[in-house]
Amino acid sequence: MKTDVIRVTGSSEDIKKAFAITKRYCDYMGFSKDRALNVRHLVEESFGVIGDITDDFKSDFWIESDKDSDCRICFAMIGKLSKAQKQELIKSSTKSINSSSGLTSRIMSFLGKSLAEENKAKGDERVWTLSKYKNGIDEATWNGMGKSIIAKLADDICIEINDEKIKIVVIKNSV
């Protein structure tokens, strides 16, 4: 199952549209009230994380499921980042890493490092996942991310960069 794909920014109107799609998706999937609320929280938190990463974003948004009813909340950034956006993200990722150990700073670090690697061949894909990150850190570091709702609710987050195009997928497995 895949919902309609809509173009979104961080505007309140677009977030309302995303919530409407989320509600239709949850109703169609027959999710319990609690599961539907978790999916809505993940959508809301995803907008927050993306807004923290870049102020000026345009993205396609949709939700999809496979036969096992895994829920994937998808954002595919529209177009390549401008040179100024790229430099700002690289600069922000350095500041973020030095000041915080939260999820957003980890994502920004990955994005900044990936975008700074000019020697990557065109078509090279770079991927960061929350599950791989979590497996590579100790419990105290993970607990330091305790304020991140998305890190606690999501079963995984996958970020892919291909030719400076960014796709973010938040995964919530079936209960």
Side-chain angles (χ1 to χ4, degrees):
M1 190 293 176
K2 182 176 178 178
T3 66
D4 292 336
V5 177
I6 61 170
R7 180 118 337 137
V8 295
T9 64
S11 74
S12 60
E13 188 61 36
D14 286 345
I15 293 171
K16 286 179 189 176
K17 289 177 190 175
F19 285 159
I21 283 180
T22 302
K23 181 177 179 353
R24 284 193 306 269
Y25 168 82
C26 291
D27 289 347
Y28 177 84
M29 296 300 292
F31 288 163
S32 69
K33 186 177 179 180
D34 287 342
R35 181 148 165 85
L37 189 59
N38 281 344
V39 173
R40 181 186 162 100
H41 277 100
L42 285 169
V43 169
E44 184 175 10
E45 290 297 316
S46 297
F47 271 97
V49 168
I50 293 169
D52 287 346
I53 292 168
T54 179
D55 293 332
D56 180 29
F57 77 90
K58 285 184 189 164
S59 174
D60 283 339
F61 166 83
W62 70 96
I63 303 174
E64 60 187 27
S65 296
D66 60 18
K67 63 181 182 243
D68 297 324
S69 297
D70 291 346
C71 172
R72 289 182 299 282
I73 301 162
C74 305
F75 292 85
M77 305 302 224
I78 304 302
K80 289 187 176 184
L81 295 171
S82 70
K83 190 173 186 172
Q85 287 174 313
K86 183 178 170 182
Q87 292 298 26
E88 184 61 30
L89 188 52
I90 292 168
K91 188 170 88 175
S92 295
S93 71
T94 305
K95 285 181 192 172
S96 181
I97 274 306
N98 292 333
S99 66
S100 173
S101 62
L103 177 65
T104 302
S105 67
R106 297 296 127 207
I107 292 170
M108 289 177 74
S109 174
F110 164 72
L111 292 171
K113 287 177 186 174
S114 295
L115 293 171
E117 294 176 351
E118 297 295 337
N119 59 349
K120 287 281 186 181
K122 273 212 176 286
D124 248 359
E125 188 172 284
R126 289 146 285 174
V127 178
W128 179 92
T129 65
L130 180 61
S131 58
K132 284 183 187 175
Y133 174 73
K134 185 177 177 182
N135 288 336
I137 60 173
D138 60 36
E139 190 173 336
T141 303
W142 176 250
N143 290 337
M145 297 174 90
K147 295 179 183 176
S148 173
I149 293 170
I150 196 168
K152 298 299 180 189
L153 288 178
D155 291 308
D156 207 356
I157 300 170
C158 180
I159 302 177
E160 303 170 10
I161 300 177
N162 193 340
D163 290 336
E164 297 178 16
K165 293 181 182 177
I166 301 169
K167 182 176 180 183
I168 299 172
V169 179
V170 179
I171 301 165
K172 181 66 179 168
N173 296 321
S174 54
V175 188

